Amino acid sequence: MPKLTIDDKEIEVPAGVTVLQACEMAGAEIPRFCYHERLSVAGNCRMCLVELERAPKPIASCAMPVSEGMVIRTDSEMIKKARNGVMEFLLINHPLDCPICDQGGECDLQDQAMAYGFDHSRFEENKRAVTEKYMGPLIKTIMTRCIHCTRCVRFATEVAGVEDIGLVNRGEHAEITTLERAIDSELSGNLVDVCPVGALTSAPYQFAARPWELRKTLSIDVMDAVGSNIRVDARGRHVMRVLPRLHEGVNEEWIADKTRHACDGLARQRLDRPYVRGADGRLKAASWDEAFSAVASRLKGLEGKKIAAIAGDLCDAESMLALKDLMSDLGSPNLDCRQDGAKVGEGPRASYLFNTSIAGIERADAVLLVGSNPRWEAPMVNARIRKRFLQTGMPVGVIGESVDLTYQTQYLGAGPETLKELAEGRHPFAEVLEKAAHPMLILGSGALARADGPAILALARALAEKTGMIKAATDDEPAWNGFNVLQRVASRVAGLDLGFLPGEGGRATEDILSAVESGEIEVVYLLGADEFDTARLSKAFVIYQGHHGDAGAQAADVILPGAAYTEKNGTYVNTEGRVQLGRLAAFPPGEAREDWTILRALSAVLGKALPYDNLGMLRQSLVERFPVFAAIDQIEPAAWEPFGTEGAVDSAPFALPIANYYMTDPISRSSETMARCTEALGKGAVKATGTDG
Amino acid sequence: MSVLKTTTYDPPRTDGFVFSPENKAKADAYRTRYPEDRQASAVLWLLYLAQEQNGGWLSSDAIEYVAAELDMAPIRVHEVATFYTMFNLRPVGRYLVQVCRTTSCWMRGSDAITKACLEEAGTGALGEVSEDGVFSVVEVECLGACCNAPMFQVNDRDYFEDLTPESARAVMAKLRAGEEVKPGSQSGRAGSEPQEGAKTLLHLAESPAPAGDGA
């Protein structure tokens, strides 16, 4: 470990770090624009100059590796002058339009000009202007503001894996361009975050708010099962934008476009008051009392087994527990949180978790994807796989539909037959997995929603055991579990963890629907469940509790308006089994209420009051009965126990469950921005994958 | 405040571009110089071939054809093509006249040469193609013929040196007429010897070198 002196302070740093990193470790702040710790080093902004003893001129600290005995000064008169000079050059062609710039108030250039720049400009010649570029519906460009740091080029090339952005021409004429094509990436919103100036700004958020007006709430995303850590910025009751927040284990510092930009859907199509379907068959606005009494009168005297409940994709654990408790008080065993009919969840925890963990992908050296398109089902997981692929060039095998995953893949086959060949060791890729030290398998949620789901689960398990994906900890290696189910909806793992599943003699989703059609089930309680053919519920009395007027609300006889994920304090468990807390950022609109309170109030009207009066009591009950919920933001390795049912598999190829990345749930379907993305990137039309497989 | 407005980068398109069989063979030969996984290194060779075949300039199609040949993202090849000034991204005349304007040539009157060339070509401005499609005139930085300043280069190949506005016009007139012109000094001196005859080592010219003094 080299020792160096930074501003008269001796410090020992790991070999291979740069002078800039060493300075940070020593507590010296180094201004920078082009340097970004998750991107390659460009060294072109020259803002990070420091003085190195015996060097003839200041050095760019971001591009200089440390060596033994360096003596660095970051606070000398020479460095002050150097920063002044660099700043003056950067501002030569930068317009003085901070008052109308969306980056104003959170702009690196603005802040650093204040800290390190001159108070006036000596430049009297013409400034240059650059025409705007098209980068898709999410990014607004004002290219005159660009300082050519090339962070966006490096992000797109390295992290997002789409070589769409580049720097053309040179010198005075240099400009960033996309050749007028939209950036075909699910991570394009992050370009706005990496841009240190106002050249790339969020198009949906343009001219909407100033950063200092916003109330910032640290929360958790529910648009997929990754549970990205987000910051929700709200003004009054409106969520203005969603930004990523650092979590090395989950999303690093990126988030996917749906996470970031679906938030305008929170203001549209909202259910803001209860409704009851009248005698004329039309939904009429009602008061809470009327809605509750309509439910109570229909449930009166009804046998428990004639009632069913289905939990949707965006539910928090608390409301699912409250509904589960209410159903068991009503004597109903018919409940399910798997709207897509996935055949997983009854077994041990390891059978439905992403056991490797997302950060664990960075230990893998061979991957097999089965019936999954992680690019759409979990963009942050895909970004990790790509990161690992770039580090090692590891082999990635794909069974199922072959799509562009931004890294090199080997197509192995279309259906379960290939999986069987692998499990029986008859396929050459089985050898690749066996030879790997840390092989992993990612089973898509779509592959488990088939009728032969349990058999596929058993096959995958057999393959995992056979190719050494399950390794106990040794003296020099921590344990390795390479068996992964990639869930795609936020509520699923929590639902399975707290047993929102058919009880004894109970029915699962498909059974519930057919029992409704045959008249065996008369009342269905939908907790934000919209992702199935709700027309099949026409014979039943449907209670819909949720936040958007989507498929479920259409079919409902009583609508109880609930809160969306930004409007309640809720617990979510991501696909790795990581328990995280979402927080209230803005209150629900109109008469809508937090979901567990609705269930609590309804239970009182039904005369079966649930035993918790506040969120603390509910959470305590949750933790007592299901201890996994106690470990907030920790991953408990799940025990490896038998699961899956061996059996015949259907030869039909695996179909991917998502047809359009930008619209997968009631919030994103209501979002204007997501509609624009769908239009611009043609996901629905060009690459339809959901039902045509 | 007046501003310099740069236009959106978008080189003109042609109706597709493919290498002729000869150029394809040449390109393949160039590519063998680089390892299998470093084929992108051949990009300058291929762009140069494409420019030659395309009449002295690169269209978007030619650039993207090269990208496809080398399995590179189109934008990466656009970056290279726009970085180097010797790739022309607009159509040029049959003869591209590149007038050197760097210090030596400029002090020896390159401004007048440029003016004369523009007049002879009949184009209004630098970079434009003359109406008959024969000439385009541009100014470039040092071409390394400072001893024979001022000079211009025609079609990346022939240096015409020791120019005066008159001799520059004469060269261009001959090119236009399709007559043969001799590259090199237009004032008649050999190589880059001083214009008024030799000034040093005069004794060598007067007395032949002593026998046995073979250097």
Side-chain angles (χ1 to χ4, degrees), chain A residues 126-131 153 157 163 165-170 172 175 177 179 181, chain B residues 1-9 13 64 73-76 78-79 82-85:
Chain A
N126 289 340
K127 282 183 180 243
R128 76 174 202 153
V130 184
T131 43
V153 179
T157 311
E163 288 193 87
I165 313 181
L167 181 81
V168 295
N169 296 323
R170 58 149 116 173
E172 163 93 302
E175 49 183 315
T177 187
L179 303 176
R181 287 163 213 169
Chain B
M1 186 202 296
S2 61
V3 291
L4 162 68
K5 189 93 175 167
T6 60
T7 52
T8 294
Y9 167 70
R13 300 208 157 258
E64 281 160 27
I75 185 79
R76 295 282 98 87
H78 280 285
E79 286 177 335
T82 54
F83 184 84
Y84 292 103
T85 51

mmCIF file of all heavy atoms in Angstrom, chain A residues 126-131 153 157 163 165-170 172 175 177 179 181, chain B residues 1-9 13 64 73-76 78-79 82-85:
data_model
loop_
_atom_site.group_PDB
_atom_site.id
_atom_site.type_symbol
_atom_site.label_atom_id
_atom_site.label_comp_id
_atom_site.label_asym_id
_atom_site.label_seq_id
_atom_site.Cartn_x
_atom_site.Cartn_y
_atom_site.Cartn_z
ATOM 1 N N ASN A 126 -17.317 36.064 -29.700
ATOM 2 C CA ASN A 126 -18.612 35.403 -29.837
ATOM 3 C C ASN A 126 -18.628 34.069 -29.121
ATOM 4 O O ASN A 126 -17.693 33.287 -29.232
ATOM 5 C CB ASN A 126 -18.914 35.145 -31.311
ATOM 6 C CG ASN A 126 -19.210 36.435 -32.046
ATOM 7 O OD1 ASN A 126 -19.536 37.426 -31.421
ATOM 8 N ND2 ASN A 126 -19.078 36.408 -33.353
ATOM 9 N N LYS A 127 -19.721 33.800 -28.435
ATOM 10 C CA LYS A 127 -19.904 32.457 -27.875
ATOM 11 C C LYS A 127 -20.449 31.574 -28.969
ATOM 12 O O LYS A 127 -21.055 32.055 -29.930
ATOM 13 C CB LYS A 127 -20.905 32.513 -26.722
ATOM 14 C CG LYS A 127 -20.310 33.053 -25.443
ATOM 15 C CD LYS A 127 -21.323 33.008 -24.322
ATOM 16 C CE LYS A 127 -20.743 33.543 -23.034
ATOM 17 N NZ LYS A 127 -20.687 32.555 -21.969
ATOM 18 N N ARG A 128 -20.272 30.282 -28.829
ATOM 19 C CA ARG A 128 -20.826 29.411 -29.852
ATOM 20 C C ARG A 128 -22.200 28.914 -29.418
ATOM 21 O O ARG A 128 -22.533 28.902 -28.233
ATOM 22 C CB ARG A 128 -19.908 28.238 -30.136
ATOM 23 C CG ARG A 128 -19.942 27.169 -29.091
ATOM 24 C CD ARG A 128 -19.106 25.984 -29.542
ATOM 25 N NE ARG A 128 -19.562 24.809 -28.816
ATOM 26 C CZ ARG A 128 -19.465 23.572 -29.245
ATOM 27 N NH1 ARG A 128 -18.914 23.319 -30.417
ATOM 28 N NH2 ARG A 128 -19.902 22.567 -28.537
ATOM 29 N N ALA A 129 -22.983 28.500 -30.357
ATOM 30 C CA ALA A 129 -24.286 27.913 -30.055
ATOM 31 C C ALA A 129 -24.359 26.590 -30.794
ATOM 32 O O ALA A 129 -23.810 26.462 -31.871
ATOM 33 C CB ALA A 129 -25.410 28.829 -30.499
ATOM 34 N N VAL A 130 -25.030 25.635 -30.205
ATOM 35 C CA VAL A 130 -25.113 24.316 -30.817
ATOM 36 C C VAL A 130 -26.577 23.921 -30.891
ATOM 37 O O VAL A 130 -27.333 24.154 -29.948
ATOM 38 C CB VAL A 130 -24.331 23.272 -29.980
ATOM 39 C CG1 VAL A 130 -24.333 21.925 -30.662
ATOM 40 C CG2 VAL A 130 -22.919 23.750 -29.737
ATOM 41 N N THR A 131 -26.966 23.343 -31.999
ATOM 42 C CA THR A 131 -28.370 22.966 -32.144
ATOM 43 C C THR A 131 -28.716 21.799 -31.224
ATOM 44 O O THR A 131 -27.859 21.000 -30.872
ATOM 45 C CB THR A 131 -28.684 22.546 -33.594
ATOM 46 O OG1 THR A 131 -27.617 21.723 -34.034
ATOM 47 C CG2 THR A 131 -28.825 23.734 -34.485
ATOM 48 N N VAL A 153 -21.588 9.814 -22.995
ATOM 49 C CA VAL A 153 -21.090 8.856 -23.976
ATOM 50 C C VAL A 153 -20.599 7.605 -23.251
ATOM 51 O O VAL A 153 -20.899 6.477 -23.636
ATOM 52 C CB VAL A 153 -19.940 9.466 -24.803
ATOM 53 C CG1 VAL A 153 -19.405 8.461 -25.798
ATOM 54 C CG2 VAL A 153 -20.406 10.718 -25.511
ATOM 55 N N THR A 157 -22.244 3.820 -23.369
ATOM 56 C CA THR A 157 -21.416 2.749 -23.912
ATOM 57 C C THR A 157 -21.117 1.685 -22.860
ATOM 58 O O THR A 157 -21.156 0.502 -23.147
ATOM 59 C CB THR A 157 -20.094 3.334 -24.438
ATOM 60 O OG1 THR A 157 -20.410 4.447 -25.255
ATOM 61 C CG2 THR A 157 -19.329 2.320 -25.239
ATOM 62 N N GLU A 163 -24.455 1.739 -27.860
ATOM 63 C CA GLU A 163 -23.527 2.710 -28.426
ATOM 64 C C GLU A 163 -24.298 3.645 -29.356
ATOM 65 O O GLU A 163 -24.247 3.522 -30.560
ATOM 66 C CB GLU A 163 -22.406 1.992 -29.174
ATOM 67 C CG GLU A 163 -21.447 1.315 -28.229
ATOM 68 C CD GLU A 163 -20.176 0.864 -28.911
ATOM 69 O OE1 GLU A 163 -19.238 1.664 -29.011
ATOM 70 O OE2 GLU A 163 -20.131 -0.282 -29.350
ATOM 71 N N ILE A 165 -24.584 7.216 -28.438
ATOM 72 C CA ILE A 165 -24.158 8.602 -28.272
ATOM 73 C C ILE A 165 -22.673 8.706 -28.566
ATOM 74 O O ILE A 165 -21.894 7.819 -28.216
ATOM 75 C CB ILE A 165 -24.399 9.100 -26.830
ATOM 76 C CG1 ILE A 165 -25.803 8.726 -26.377
ATOM 77 C CG2 ILE A 165 -24.223 10.596 -26.744
ATOM 78 C CD1 ILE A 165 -26.111 9.211 -24.994
ATOM 79 N N GLY A 166 -22.277 9.790 -29.204
ATOM 80 C CA GLY A 166 -20.859 9.981 -29.469
ATOM 81 C C GLY A 166 -20.516 11.450 -29.548
ATOM 82 O O GLY A 166 -21.392 12.323 -29.534
ATOM 83 N N LEU A 167 -19.222 11.727 -29.610
ATOM 84 C CA LEU A 167 -18.732 13.092 -29.737
ATOM 85 C C LEU A 167 -18.174 13.242 -31.138
ATOM 86 O O LEU A 167 -17.173 12.615 -31.466
ATOM 87 C CB LEU A 167 -17.632 13.338 -28.705
ATOM 88 C CG LEU A 167 -17.024 14.735 -28.698
ATOM 89 C CD1 LEU A 167 -17.896 15.692 -27.931
ATOM 90 C CD2 LEU A 167 -15.642 14.709 -28.082
ATOM 91 N N VAL A 168 -18.825 14.048 -31.970
ATOM 92 C CA VAL A 168 -18.328 14.219 -33.336
ATOM 93 C C VAL A 168 -17.639 15.569 -33.471
ATOM 94 O O VAL A 168 -17.803 16.463 -32.648
ATOM 95 C CB VAL A 168 -19.447 14.101 -34.399
ATOM 96 C CG1 VAL A 168 -20.022 12.706 -34.423
ATOM 97 C CG2 VAL A 168 -20.515 15.131 -34.174
ATOM 98 N N ASN A 169 -16.865 15.681 -34.537
ATOM 99 C CA ASN A 169 -16.047 16.863 -34.810
ATOM 100 C C ASN A 169 -15.025 17.061 -33.695
ATOM 101 O O ASN A 169 -14.904 16.246 -32.805
ATOM 102 C CB ASN A 169 -16.902 18.114 -35.015
ATOM 103 C CG ASN A 169 -17.779 17.971 -36.240
ATOM 104 O OD1 ASN A 169 -17.346 17.398 -37.245
ATOM 105 N ND2 ASN A 169 -18.997 18.442 -36.150
ATOM 106 N N ARG A 170 -14.319 18.177 -33.781
ATOM 107 C CA ARG A 170 -13.307 18.374 -32.755
ATOM 108 C C ARG A 170 -13.124 19.847 -32.433
ATOM 109 O O ARG A 170 -13.617 20.709 -33.152
ATOM 110 C CB ARG A 170 -11.997 17.764 -33.215
ATOM 111 C CG ARG A 170 -11.499 18.349 -34.513
ATOM 112 C CD ARG A 170 -10.006 18.308 -34.510
ATOM 113 N NE ARG A 170 -9.458 17.447 -35.534
ATOM 114 C CZ ARG A 170 -8.156 17.371 -35.790
ATOM 115 N NH1 ARG A 170 -7.310 18.068 -35.092
ATOM 116 N NH2 ARG A 170 -7.716 16.600 -36.739
ATOM 117 N N GLU A 172 -13.314 23.456 -31.273
ATOM 118 C CA GLU A 172 -14.411 24.406 -31.185
ATOM 119 C C GLU A 172 -15.726 23.829 -31.712
ATOM 120 O O GLU A 172 -16.803 24.233 -31.318
ATOM 121 C CB GLU A 172 -14.000 25.644 -31.991
ATOM 122 C CG GLU A 172 -15.105 26.580 -32.359
ATOM 123 C CD GLU A 172 -15.264 27.692 -31.342
ATOM 124 O OE1 GLU A 172 -15.485 27.398 -30.158
ATOM 125 O OE2 GLU A 172 -15.166 28.838 -31.728
ATOM 126 N N GLU A 175 -19.248 18.314 -30.770
ATOM 127 C CA GLU A 175 -20.600 18.248 -30.220
ATOM 128 C C GLU A 175 -20.998 16.806 -29.939
ATOM 129 O O GLU A 175 -20.576 15.876 -30.614
ATOM 130 C CB GLU A 175 -21.620 18.926 -31.136
ATOM 131 C CG GLU A 175 -21.551 18.529 -32.575
ATOM 132 C CD GLU A 175 -22.545 19.311 -33.436
ATOM 133 O OE1 GLU A 175 -23.686 19.454 -33.027
ATOM 134 O OE2 GLU A 175 -22.152 19.753 -34.516
ATOM 135 N N THR A 177 -23.678 13.943 -30.018
ATOM 136 C CA THR A 177 -24.832 13.688 -30.865
ATOM 137 C C THR A 177 -25.272 12.241 -30.776
ATOM 138 O O THR A 177 -24.511 11.366 -30.359
ATOM 139 C CB THR A 177 -24.539 14.048 -32.335
ATOM 140 O OG1 THR A 177 -25.733 13.933 -33.086
ATOM 141 C CG2 THR A 177 -23.489 13.137 -32.928
ATOM 142 N N LEU A 179 -27.021 11.198 -33.631
ATOM 143 C CA LEU A 179 -27.446 11.047 -35.027
ATOM 144 C C LEU A 179 -28.969 11.020 -35.114
ATOM 145 O O LEU A 179 -29.553 10.317 -35.920
ATOM 146 C CB LEU A 179 -26.852 9.781 -35.651
ATOM 147 C CG LEU A 179 -25.325 9.696 -35.611
ATOM 148 C CD1 LEU A 179 -24.860 8.362 -36.156
ATOM 149 C CD2 LEU A 179 -24.700 10.828 -36.404
ATOM 150 N N ARG A 181 -31.271 9.758 -33.277
ATOM 151 C CA ARG A 181 -32.020 8.540 -32.972
ATOM 152 C C ARG A 181 -32.291 8.506 -31.475
ATOM 153 O O ARG A 181 -31.444 8.915 -30.685
ATOM 154 C CB ARG A 181 -31.209 7.302 -33.357
ATOM 155 C CG ARG A 181 -31.148 7.122 -34.863
ATOM 156 C CD ARG A 181 -30.037 6.184 -35.273
ATOM 157 N NE ARG A 181 -29.517 6.634 -36.560
ATOM 158 C CZ ARG A 181 -28.421 6.181 -37.129
ATOM 159 N NH1 ARG A 181 -27.703 5.262 -36.548
ATOM 160 N NH2 ARG A 181 -28.025 6.645 -38.295
ATOM 161 N N MET B 1 -25.854 39.769 -28.777
ATOM 162 C CA MET B 1 -24.545 39.153 -29.051
ATOM 163 C C MET B 1 -24.676 38.193 -30.238
ATOM 164 O O MET B 1 -25.603 37.404 -30.303
ATOM 165 C CB MET B 1 -24.089 38.371 -27.815
ATOM 166 C CG MET B 1 -22.691 37.825 -27.949
ATOM 167 S SD MET B 1 -22.450 36.433 -26.836
ATOM 168 C CE MET B 1 -22.630 37.249 -25.260
ATOM 169 N N SER B 2 -23.762 38.297 -31.148
ATOM 170 C CA SER B 2 -23.831 37.356 -32.268
ATOM 171 C C SER B 2 -23.196 36.041 -31.853
ATOM 172 O O SER B 2 -22.336 36.006 -30.990
ATOM 173 C CB SER B 2 -23.103 37.927 -33.474
ATOM 174 O OG SER B 2 -21.755 38.136 -33.150
ATOM 175 N N VAL B 3 -23.657 34.967 -32.422
ATOM 176 C CA VAL B 3 -23.151 33.660 -32.024
ATOM 177 C C VAL B 3 -22.708 32.877 -33.245
ATOM 178 O O VAL B 3 -23.178 33.095 -34.355
ATOM 179 C CB VAL B 3 -24.220 32.845 -31.274
ATOM 180 C CG1 VAL B 3 -24.503 33.453 -29.939
ATOM 181 C CG2 VAL B 3 -25.476 32.727 -32.101
ATOM 182 N N LEU B 4 -21.805 31.969 -33.001
ATOM 183 C CA LEU B 4 -21.413 31.033 -34.030
ATOM 184 C C LEU B 4 -22.392 29.875 -33.970
ATOM 185 O O LEU B 4 -22.510 29.219 -32.954
ATOM 186 C CB LEU B 4 -19.992 30.535 -33.749
ATOM 187 C CG LEU B 4 -19.567 29.260 -34.461
ATOM 188 C CD1 LEU B 4 -19.451 29.522 -35.950
ATOM 189 C CD2 LEU B 4 -18.265 28.766 -33.903
ATOM 190 N N LYS B 5 -23.103 29.662 -35.027
ATOM 191 C CA LYS B 5 -24.116 28.614 -35.005
ATOM 192 C C LYS B 5 -23.548 27.389 -35.710
ATOM 193 O O LYS B 5 -23.286 27.435 -36.901
ATOM 194 C CB LYS B 5 -25.356 29.129 -35.741
ATOM 195 C CG LYS B 5 -26.549 28.238 -35.621
ATOM 196 C CD LYS B 5 -27.401 28.666 -34.464
ATOM 197 C CE LYS B 5 -28.665 27.829 -34.423
ATOM 198 N NZ LYS B 5 -29.361 27.992 -33.159
ATOM 199 N N THR B 6 -23.361 26.343 -34.989
ATOM 200 C CA THR B 6 -22.933 25.134 -35.680
ATOM 201 C C THR B 6 -24.175 24.336 -36.037
ATOM 202 O O THR B 6 -25.157 24.335 -35.295
ATOM 203 C CB THR B 6 -22.030 24.262 -34.791
ATOM 204 O OG1 THR B 6 -22.764 23.907 -33.643
ATOM 205 C CG2 THR B 6 -20.778 24.995 -34.380
ATOM 206 N N THR B 7 -24.152 23.705 -37.165
ATOM 207 C CA THR B 7 -25.334 22.977 -37.592
ATOM 208 C C THR B 7 -25.283 21.564 -37.027
ATOM 209 O O THR B 7 -24.250 21.087 -36.617
ATOM 210 C CB THR B 7 -25.385 22.891 -39.117
ATOM 211 O OG1 THR B 7 -24.120 22.386 -39.547
ATOM 212 C CG2 THR B 7 -25.638 24.236 -39.724
ATOM 213 N N THR B 8 -26.433 20.948 -37.030
ATOM 214 C CA THR B 8 -26.485 19.568 -36.588
ATOM 215 C C THR B 8 -25.670 18.709 -37.531
ATOM 216 O O THR B 8 -25.792 18.813 -38.740
ATOM 217 C CB THR B 8 -27.939 19.086 -36.582
ATOM 218 O OG1 THR B 8 -28.613 19.817 -35.591
ATOM 219 C CG2 THR B 8 -28.024 17.619 -36.266
ATOM 220 N N TYR B 9 -24.846 17.862 -36.967
ATOM 221 C CA TYR B 9 -23.989 17.016 -37.784
ATOM 222 C C TYR B 9 -24.832 15.977 -38.517
ATOM 223 O O TYR B 9 -25.527 15.189 -37.891
ATOM 224 C CB TYR B 9 -22.960 16.327 -36.900
ATOM 225 C CG TYR B 9 -22.248 15.215 -37.610
ATOM 226 C CD1 TYR B 9 -21.354 15.512 -38.631
ATOM 227 C CD2 TYR B 9 -22.486 13.889 -37.298
ATOM 228 C CE1 TYR B 9 -20.708 14.501 -39.312
ATOM 229 C CE2 TYR B 9 -21.846 12.870 -37.966
ATOM 230 C CZ TYR B 9 -20.958 13.180 -38.976
ATOM 231 O OH TYR B 9 -20.334 12.180 -39.665
ATOM 232 N N ARG B 13 -26.442 11.872 -47.550
ATOM 233 C CA ARG B 13 -26.530 10.444 -47.861
ATOM 234 C C ARG B 13 -26.381 10.233 -49.355
ATOM 235 O O ARG B 13 -26.624 11.127 -50.154
ATOM 236 C CB ARG B 13 -27.884 9.896 -47.411
ATOM 237 C CG ARG B 13 -28.084 10.060 -45.929
ATOM 238 C CD ARG B 13 -29.009 9.014 -45.342
ATOM 239 N NE ARG B 13 -28.713 8.907 -43.929
ATOM 240 C CZ ARG B 13 -27.999 7.932 -43.394
ATOM 241 N NH1 ARG B 13 -27.530 6.946 -44.138
ATOM 242 N NH2 ARG B 13 -27.752 7.901 -42.110
ATOM 243 N N GLU B 64 -21.271 4.406 -42.563
ATOM 244 C CA GLU B 64 -21.977 3.328 -41.883
ATOM 245 C C GLU B 64 -21.687 1.970 -42.515
ATOM 246 O O GLU B 64 -21.735 0.934 -41.844
ATOM 247 C CB GLU B 64 -23.477 3.647 -41.828
ATOM 248 C CG GLU B 64 -23.724 4.659 -40.709
ATOM 249 C CD GLU B 64 -25.029 5.426 -40.808
ATOM 250 O OE1 GLU B 64 -25.986 4.900 -41.401
ATOM 251 O OE2 GLU B 64 -25.078 6.554 -40.272
ATOM 252 N N ALA B 73 -20.158 0.203 -33.822
ATOM 253 C CA ALA B 73 -21.373 1.017 -33.782
ATOM 254 C C ALA B 73 -21.179 2.189 -34.747
ATOM 255 O O ALA B 73 -20.092 2.769 -34.778
ATOM 256 C CB ALA B 73 -21.613 1.528 -32.373
ATOM 257 N N PRO B 74 -22.206 2.536 -35.543
ATOM 258 C CA PRO B 74 -22.054 3.618 -36.515
ATOM 259 C C PRO B 74 -21.477 4.891 -35.908
ATOM 260 O O PRO B 74 -20.597 5.529 -36.485
ATOM 261 C CB PRO B 74 -23.478 3.846 -37.015
ATOM 262 C CG PRO B 74 -24.178 2.561 -36.795
ATOM 263 C CD PRO B 74 -23.534 1.914 -35.605
ATOM 264 N N ILE B 75 -21.934 5.224 -34.697
ATOM 265 C CA ILE B 75 -21.493 6.487 -34.104
ATOM 266 C C ILE B 75 -19.985 6.513 -33.885
ATOM 267 O O ILE B 75 -19.334 7.538 -34.003
ATOM 268 C CB ILE B 75 -22.252 6.750 -32.774
ATOM 269 C CG1 ILE B 75 -21.918 8.121 -32.189
ATOM 270 C CG2 ILE B 75 -21.941 5.690 -31.740
ATOM 271 C CD1 ILE B 75 -22.615 9.244 -32.824
ATOM 272 N N ARG B 76 -19.392 5.346 -33.597
ATOM 273 C CA ARG B 76 -17.948 5.295 -33.369
ATOM 274 C C ARG B 76 -17.193 5.671 -34.631
ATOM 275 O O ARG B 76 -16.161 6.341 -34.588
ATOM 276 C CB ARG B 76 -17.529 3.891 -32.914
ATOM 277 C CG ARG B 76 -18.084 3.457 -31.581
ATOM 278 C CD ARG B 76 -17.307 4.086 -30.426
ATOM 279 N NE ARG B 76 -17.984 5.277 -29.903
ATOM 280 C CZ ARG B 76 -18.913 5.271 -28.986
ATOM 281 N NH1 ARG B 76 -19.285 4.133 -28.434
ATOM 282 N NH2 ARG B 76 -19.488 6.381 -28.592
ATOM 283 N N HIS B 78 -18.481 7.493 -37.136
ATOM 284 C CA HIS B 78 -18.742 8.923 -37.365
ATOM 285 C C HIS B 78 -17.758 9.763 -36.561
ATOM 286 O O HIS B 78 -17.269 10.783 -37.034
ATOM 287 C CB HIS B 78 -20.173 9.271 -36.957
ATOM 288 C CG HIS B 78 -21.192 8.906 -37.986
ATOM 289 N ND1 HIS B 78 -21.368 9.640 -39.143
ATOM 290 C CD2 HIS B 78 -22.086 7.898 -38.053
ATOM 291 C CE1 HIS B 78 -22.345 9.095 -39.860
ATOM 292 N NE2 HIS B 78 -22.792 8.038 -39.225
ATOM 293 N N GLU B 79 -17.486 9.335 -35.336
ATOM 294 C CA GLU B 79 -16.552 10.082 -34.493
ATOM 295 C C GLU B 79 -15.177 10.165 -35.146
ATOM 296 O O GLU B 79 -14.557 11.226 -35.199
ATOM 297 C CB GLU B 79 -16.408 9.403 -33.117
ATOM 298 C CG GLU B 79 -17.598 9.602 -32.214
ATOM 299 C CD GLU B 79 -17.470 8.861 -30.883
ATOM 300 O OE1 GLU B 79 -16.736 7.856 -30.820
ATOM 301 O OE2 GLU B 79 -18.100 9.273 -29.922
ATOM 302 N N THR B 82 -15.177 12.351 -38.385
ATOM 303 C CA THR B 82 -15.292 13.788 -38.186
ATOM 304 C C THR B 82 -14.071 14.357 -37.485
ATOM 305 O O THR B 82 -13.824 15.546 -37.530
ATOM 306 C CB THR B 82 -16.533 14.150 -37.338
ATOM 307 O OG1 THR B 82 -16.483 13.411 -36.119
ATOM 308 C CG2 THR B 82 -17.807 13.828 -38.072
ATOM 309 N N PHE B 83 -13.309 13.498 -36.821
ATOM 310 C CA PHE B 83 -12.147 14.001 -36.085
ATOM 311 C C PHE B 83 -11.020 14.391 -37.031
ATOM 312 O O PHE B 83 -10.363 15.411 -36.858
ATOM 313 C CB PHE B 83 -11.664 12.943 -35.090
ATOM 314 C CG PHE B 83 -10.528 13.414 -34.222
ATOM 315 C CD1 PHE B 83 -10.791 14.133 -33.076
ATOM 316 C CD2 PHE B 83 -9.207 13.171 -34.568
ATOM 317 C CE1 PHE B 83 -9.760 14.597 -32.277
ATOM 318 C CE2 PHE B 83 -8.173 13.625 -33.770
ATOM 319 C CZ PHE B 83 -8.450 14.338 -32.626
ATOM 320 N N TYR B 84 -10.801 13.587 -38.047
ATOM 321 C CA TYR B 84 -9.665 13.823 -38.939
ATOM 322 C C TYR B 84 -10.077 14.727 -40.088
ATOM 323 O O TYR B 84 -11.025 14.438 -40.808
ATOM 324 C CB TYR B 84 -9.133 12.494 -39.457
ATOM 325 C CG TYR B 84 -8.503 11.689 -38.356
ATOM 326 C CD1 TYR B 84 -9.171 10.612 -37.788
ATOM 327 C CD2 TYR B 84 -7.264 12.036 -37.853
ATOM 328 C CE1 TYR B 84 -8.612 9.896 -36.756
ATOM 329 C CE2 TYR B 84 -6.690 11.321 -36.813
ATOM 330 C CZ TYR B 84 -7.367 10.253 -36.271
ATOM 331 O OH TYR B 84 -6.810 9.558 -35.242
ATOM 332 N N THR B 85 -9.310 15.807 -40.276
ATOM 333 C CA THR B 85 -9.693 16.782 -41.299
ATOM 334 C C THR B 85 -9.457 16.269 -42.710
ATOM 335 O O THR B 85 -9.934 16.856 -43.662
ATOM 336 C CB THR B 85 -8.900 18.077 -41.115
ATOM 337 O OG1 THR B 85 -7.522 17.745 -41.030
ATOM 338 C CG2 THR B 85 -9.327 18.791 -39.855
#
